[in-house]
Amino acid sequence: MTQEAPVIAERQGALGKLTLNLPKALNALNLDMIDRMTAQLDEWEKDDTIACIWIDGAGDKALCAGGDVVALHRESGSYEEPRASRFVEEFFSREYRLDYRIHTYPKPIVVWGSGIVMGGGIGIMSGASHRIVTETTRMAMPEITIGLFPDVGGSWFLNRMPGRTGLFLGLTGAQFNGADALYCGMADRLLPSESKETLSATLAAQPFGSDVEHNRTLVSRVVQSLEMEEPARPPSNVRAHYDAIQNLTDAPTLPEVYRNIVNFQGNDEWLLRAAKTLKAGCPLTAWIVWEQLRRARHMSLADVLRMELALAVNMCSSGQVKEGVRALLIDKDRNPRWQPASLETVSRGDVERLFTSPWSESPLRDL
């Protein structure tokens, strides 16, 4: 592959390396990148000389800032003309299939999650066997701002966070750092950002063999040996705010939780920012977050991704995504005109329709 390719595939010893290579776009995922990564993982699974996979992002700003939402805006329906294009179905089907592949890959996968890791970037990172964050890591599932919802397995991993922190992060799109990711179970180790080359070189030099568990152990020991000392780590906002999050989300209905968060009266900047994002966000998304976590509580990962695929296609066809991306990235007026316009005007039927599969058989039925 040339250096201009959107995904660079190379080898370093027994390490197969995939680099997302759109640094000007913060390595946002497009369909070509998804397909290239999938094909390379398939090839390396059969290659006995590859013992471990490494995934990172070009540049020092991001692993991946999310999916190609501008393309989704172009291909999504509007409020006036609801439609689900073939592109939307293909994009999400192939993205979720890649995420599932990473979750179930037989060889160890190390993801270097430094800088911005949001949306689709979290989808790539969350299923890896060794998820690395650094002092520069900034993570979020900010889909409520564009009329989507926390997908790429969000129903799975948000449900596994401490207490109701997953609900709070899904509703508010609040950013969290590397220490937060460790606390929430979204990362395995926090390393100094300058240790990237040392880590990859050390991994490449390991005496890997044919035993996958032996190889996983070798990777774990190398990663652990470079972990950042506790005093140097950034403080965890989520851990520090755990009690406040529990209090704000301590209600049996979404409207009550919503009011608790958006009416927060303190002077804590992190909570105020979270409240502001929720208040300006898509009302339908808030209902989806509430409902997706309730429905997915005991689902398998495959069933979660099938549910999220139906949600993603339905949200894109309904006009929510076109309006959200328009306001944020196209016209940049930051004044989305959501329909329905408020939490109270969303009906139970509106929510049920979004969870109704548009197919007799899911495109992900074989997962």
Side-chain angles (χ1 to χ4, degrees):
M1 284 189 179
T2 67
Q3 293 298 300
E4 289 72 40
V7 176
I8 299 169
E10 55 191 347
R11 298 180 57 134
Q12 186 178 3
L15 207 58
K17 301 180 77 172
L18 288 172
T19 299
L20 305 181
N21 189 37
L22 289 178
K24 290 182 180 177
L26 298 176
N27 302 315
L29 270 183
N30 59 39
L31 201 48
D32 185 25
M33 296 164 78
I34 291 166
D35 290 344
R36 286 171 184 256
M37 291 180 73
T38 300
Q40 197 61 63
L41 288 173
D42 288 346
E43 181 181 320
W44 281 341
E45 182 186 351
K46 301 177 210 146
D47 187 339
D48 292 339
T49 66
I50 295 288
C52 177
I53 309 299
W54 168 285
I55 301 174
D56 65 5
D60 58 4
K61 292 182 179 177
L63 166 66
C64 172
D68 184 359
V69 294
V70 174
L72 289 177
H73 171 272
R74 184 180 64 245
E75 298 289 341
S76 289
S78 65
Y79 294 139
E80 297 75 26
E81 295 183 35
R83 68 182 178 93
S85 76
R86 180 71 179 167
F87 172 86
V88 169
E89 179 183 323
E90 286 294 322
F91 180 87
F92 286 111
S93 295
R94 279 136 80 171
E95 182 186 20
Y96 296 177
R97 197 173 282 279
L98 171 62
D99 295 337
Y100 188 79
R101 188 86 169 92
I102 292 171
H103 272 273
T104 57
Y105 203 69
K107 297 179 181 182
I109 297 181
V110 178
V111 173
W112 182 261
S114 201
I116 297 170
V117 187
M118 296 185 185
I122 291 183
I124 287 173
M125 185 170 165
S126 65
S129 60
H130 296 77
R131 302 163 300 171
I132 312 301
V133 288
T134 76
E135 77 283 358
T136 73
T137 297
R138 285 170 50 211
M139 300 178 77
M141 293 298 290
E143 289 80 4
I144 195 160
T145 61
I146 61 164
L148 201 51
F149 66 98
D151 65 330
V152 295
S155 314
W156 172 271
F157 57 72
L158 292 175
N159 256 331
R160 284 159 175 75
M161 291 183 178
R164 289 183 293 274
T165 55
L167 173 64
F168 180 84
L169 293 174
L171 285 173
T172 65
Q175 289 191 15
F176 54 102
N177 62 26
D180 293 323
L182 285 180
Y183 177 69
C184 292
M186 296 298 290
D188 302 299
R189 298 285 177 183
L190 197 158
L191 273 60
S193 55
E194 66 266 19
S195 66
K196 180 180 180 180
E197 300 307 321
T198 300
L199 176 60
S200 66
T202 307
L203 286 173
Q206 292 304 297
F208 291 117
S210 58
D211 186 324
V212 173
E213 287 310 310
H214 168 71
N215 293 344
R216 284 183 195 274
T217 301
L218 288 177
V219 173
S220 297
R221 291 194 195 286
V222 171
V223 172
Q224 185 178 14
S225 72
L226 294 170
E227 190 155 32
M228 183 181 284
E229 296 294 329
E230 191 75 43
R233 296 182 182 189
S236 168
N237 269 322
V238 178
R239 185 194 288 264
H241 289 92
Y242 178 82
D243 290 342
I245 289 170
Q246 290 299 96
N247 287 331
L248 290 169
T249 57
D250 187 14
T253 69
L254 174 62
E256 291 170 286
V257 170
Y258 180 92
R259 285 193 293 271
N260 288 346
I261 296 173
V262 300
N263 293 328
F264 174 72
Q265 294 296 312
N267 56 8
D268 185 289
E269 285 189 16
W270 190 73
L271 291 176
L272 286 169
R273 199 158 47 242
K276 184 179 179 182
T277 303
L278 175 57
K279 190 173 184 178
C282 177
L284 263 176
T285 295
W287 278 107
I288 287 180
V289 173
W290 181 264
E291 190 68 11
Q292 74 182 113
L293 296 186
R294 185 188 71 79
R295 294 188 184 209
R297 191 171 180 85
H298 301 294
M299 277 186 182
S300 68
L301 176 62
D303 282 339
V304 158
L305 291 172
R306 284 188 277 266
M307 178 184 77
E308 291 183 358
L309 178 59
L311 281 170
V313 170
N314 289 339
M315 282 297 269
C316 285
S317 65
S318 73
Q320 306 301 324
V321 173
K322 185 173 280 292
E323 176 59 15
V325 176
R326 177 206 66 75
L328 186 68
L329 297 174
I330 308 298
D331 297 341
K332 299 183 180 178
D333 58 25
R334 293 186 175 267
N335 185 32
R337 296 180 287 275
W338 304 118
Q339 296 181 21
S342 68
L343 204 72
E344 294 73 27
T345 54
V346 176
S347 72
R348 183 72 204 172
D350 292 333
V351 179
E352 283 295 335
R353 279 189 290 276
L354 293 169
F355 280 88
T356 302
S357 176
W359 315 280
S360 56
E361 280 193 303
S362 171
L364 299 178
R365 59 188 173 275
D366 58 316
L367 292 187

